[in-house]
Amino acid sequence: MNLETRGTGRQLLSIVVPVYNEQPNIEKFYEEATKAAATLDMDYEIIFVDDGSKDATPLILSRLTQQDEHVRAFILARNFGHQLAITCGMDHALGDAVITMDGDLQHPPSMIPELVQKWREGNDVVQTIREATDDAGFLKRMTSKWYYRILNAVSPVHITPGGSDFRLIDKRVLETFKQFREHDRFIRGLIGDIGYTQTFIHFVAPKRYAGKSKFSVRKMLHFALDGIMAYSKIPLRVSFYIGMLSGLLSLLLILHVIYCNIMGKAVPGWTTTMIVDCLFSGFQLIFIGVIGEYIGRIFEEVKHRPLYWLRAELGQHKDR
Ligand code: UDP
Ligand code: MG
């Protein structure tokens, strides 16, 4: 596909939506997204990926796929997490342009035409930036702000603060993205680093339509760590520098001890021994941990496991 054909002909837009226990939101989302997509001069498909929901989400999806041939659904065999659910949807998307967005209406479907417009103007990636979340507390806002600061300080790739997984990408960006098969993925970083022509749209995320956030503190921390580890070898390097420094310090201490011996002063006693012992075994433990993080990731990747697997695939394939 070249740029000139973007605005013409009957093209297909894929809308990929990961959902996890979103029973009260799905139908509302479906209505809003359908309304927005219908205003476009494009064919469209809505691809829901059920991320191992325990509520009626798969049943609602099953019904929607029977009622409306625009809807497809992939039911994952268990909860694989937001990032892998999005990946599953992107893998199966057939569109000339693919939008990924949340199913809780925090990524307003009414913005779909604007994203498509930017794509038609020749942008391959239209990335949205969340200004502030209406319902995000002070803590979430501050941690998010500082997280992106640290991430960008240690990462060779610039990751835009407030970047969300609400974006449109062109088919060729998708084809490239599909070749990235790592497990611990931070899609924001991958797309930011993928190149092509990128543009940004700012928006204020409204409150969740219904239900609660599916991200526990544990999930957030894990995700935050993935973002740093996926791009940066700095934690490893820091361990090397601190190792050097502590080596140097212990050398000075040894010299000091020898000096004391030669001068016939009292043997430096318990205190020094304890301090040295605590300090260095502390450092060692911390950085064995850092190395462990990376080894853990290597362990995950070398298994070459599939990223996700399906329990069911619902709805019609667009005939293309
Ligand atoms: N989600 C998912 N798997 C998960 C957690 C969340 O597919 O393990 C989906 C969820 O249903 C929603 C989107 O990812 O459509 C964003 O989740 P949520 O709204 O809970 O995150 P927040 O907006 O609080 O960051
Ligand atoms: Mg949300």
Side-chain angles (χ1 to χ4, degrees):
M1 197 193 77
N2 56 42
L3 295 180
E4 289 72 45
T5 64
R6 252 181 211 175
T8 58
R10 198 77 182 154
Q11 292 178 312
L12 179 67
L13 172 71
S14 303
I15 302 169
V16 169
V17 196
V19 282
Y20 178 48
N21 296 337
E22 298 288 7
Q23 178 181 318
N25 292 321
I26 290 176
E27 271 155 326
K28 178 75 178 164
F29 175 86
Y30 162 74
E31 280 165 24
E32 299 256 319
T34 303
K35 211 165 32 171
T39 65
L40 300 169
D41 174 28
M42 274 181 112
D43 205 357
Y44 67 93
E45 57 173 5
I46 304 178
I47 301 178
F48 286 102
V49 182
D50 172 66
D51 191 12
S53 296
K54 293 179 182 67
D55 63 2
T57 299
L59 291 177
I60 299 171
L61 294 182
S62 167
R63 188 161 46 71
L64 286 178
T65 54
Q66 282 161 23
Q67 279 172 7
D68 183 349
E69 58 163 20
H70 290 105
V71 182
R72 295 162 69 199
F74 294 87
I75 315 293
L76 295 175
R78 61 165 165 82
N79 182 255
F80 285 90
H82 179 237
Q83 299 284 294
L84 292 180
I86 293 181
T87 303
C88 170
M90 290 168 87
D91 284 347
H92 292 90
L94 301 168
D96 299 296
V98 179
I99 293 179
T100 52
M101 60 198 299
D102 291 353
D104 59 358
L105 293 133
Q106 287 199 285
H107 297 161
S110 57
M111 283 176 66
I112 291 173
E114 197 184 340
L115 293 178
V116 171
Q117 183 52 36
K118 291 272 181 205
W119 169 65
R120 287 202 164 133
E121 286 167 11
N123 298 293
D124 295 316
V125 177
V126 186
Q127 172 69 57
T128 70
I129 313 276
R130 212 178 39 214
E131 283 300 344
T133 315
D134 274 1
D135 64 346
F138 177 73
L139 196 69
K140 187 158 180 174
R141 254 180 278 168
M142 285 316 274
T143 49
S144 167
K145 185 171 147 199
W146 278 98
Y147 173 63
Y148 279 102
R149 272 201 191 161
I150 294 169
L151 188 59
N152 279 313
V154 301
S155 161
V157 189
H158 179 74
I159 298 169
T160 317
S164 63
D165 285 312
F166 179 22
R167 72 174 72 78
L168 178 149
I169 62 172
D170 184 74
K171 194 184 177 77
R172 2 176 214 190
V173 181
L174 180 72
E175 289 310 317
T176 309
F177 176 80
K178 287 204 287 202
Q179 293 167 34
F180 292 66
R181 299 315 285 173
E182 63 255 59
H183 283 249
D184 289 312
R185 42 183 54 215
F186 192 63
I187 297 179
R188 256 158 253 190
L190 289 178
I191 298 282
D193 196 27
I194 214 165
Y196 297 94
T197 51
Q198 310 214 359
T199 191
F200 301 92
I201 294 184
H202 293 257
F203 80 107
V204 178
K207 282 189 169 58
R208 224 172 198 284
Y209 183 66
K212 277 203 294 249
S213 172
K214 305 299 181 291
F215 278 91
S216 56
V217 174
R218 192 175 66 88
K219 266 192 181 170
M220 285 294 280
L221 277 178
H222 201 87
F223 186 51
L225 202 61
D226 278 347
I228 291 175
M229 293 290 175
Y231 279 101
S232 176
K233 293 190 187 69
I234 285 187
L236 271 176
R237 219 162 277 162
V238 169
S239 89
F240 176 72
Y241 288 137
I242 295 197
M244 293 273 283
L245 196 72
S246 59
L248 210 69
L249 278 176
S250 46
L251 202 73
L252 289 177
L253 268 166
I254 289 167
L255 288 178
H256 169 71
V257 170
I258 293 173
Y259 171 80
C260 288
N261 251 344
I262 292 172
M263 298 308 281
K265 290 185 183 165
V267 184
W270 186 76
T271 322
T272 324
T273 320
M274 283 309 282
I275 290 173
V276 171
D277 199 31
C278 293
L279 208 63
F280 295 124
S281 56
F283 283 155
Q284 277 171 13
L285 283 178
I286 291 169
F287 290 105
I288 287 172
V290 171
I291 293 164
E293 275 295 329
Y294 284 96
I295 292 177
R297 272 144 229 269
I298 295 168
F299 177 63
E300 283 306 318
E301 298 298 338
V302 295
K303 282 189 282 197
H304 286 298
R305 290 204 181 156
L307 297 183
Y308 54 83
W309 44 97
L310 298 172
R311 186 154 65 84
E313 180 180 345
L314 312 170
Q316 299 291 314
H317 243 243
K318 285 266 178 284
D319 210 13
R320 325 187 98 223

